[in-house]
Amino acid sequence: MIRLSNWRFKEIVVLTALSVVFAVVYLAFLPVGKILVGLFGPIGYDLIFGIWFIVSIIAAYILRKPGAAFLSETIAAMVEVLIGNAVGPMLIVSGMIQGLGAEAAFAATRWKNYSVWVLMAAGAGSGITSFAYGYFMSGYAALSTGYVVAMFAARVISGALIAGLLGKALSDGLAKTGVLNSYALGKEYRRKNAS
């Protein structure tokens, strides 16, 4: 259960701000996905699907609070619907499912480990849960088994690399500027540099 009573107000503000920013990013990447689908077929989206999980990794890595991955992805999906994603309210369900996949990886460590491997596992977790949902909602069963397996592998790898690794790199870059000094990642960064 997510307990926002354990959150500072500025952590909620940062989580919300990240969600809004990445809702815009998510919407901006839809045409890129469509171009890739035009070139490679349905697997085109899976090649870059990790971009749509990235806020859950960034928010969790910066804030290190139970629920950060789930809430950030859910809020981003809500904002994306409000600013014009054609999928409509069902996108919110997708966001929740993606957020749960990432949150599960952090929960498995009791929200204590934010190593690169856990961040990549969280990205992969979003890939797994979103693909399971997409399999039933998007009719993947009509495709050949080999193609579906390739789509699944591409999505999980994309989640690990784009959401996990790129999310870590972006967050670490922000931490180096000092803007995150009062958040968990910024404090960790300062401790490492002080020693």
Side-chain angles (χ1 to χ4, degrees), residues 14-31:
V14 164
L15 177 117
T16 306
L18 286 168
S19 300
V20 170
V21 166
F22 280 96
V24 174
V25 170
Y26 291 176
L27 204 55
F29 266 85
L30 286 176

Side-chain angles (χ1 to χ4, degrees), residues 7 22-23 45 65 75 83 86 96 99 105 111 121 133 142 151 161 180:
W7 289 55
F22 280 96
Y45 267 120
K65 295 274 189 181
I75 294 167
I83 61 176
M96 293 170 76
W111 296 277
Y133 177 71
M151 288 172 66
L161 297 180
L180 301 177

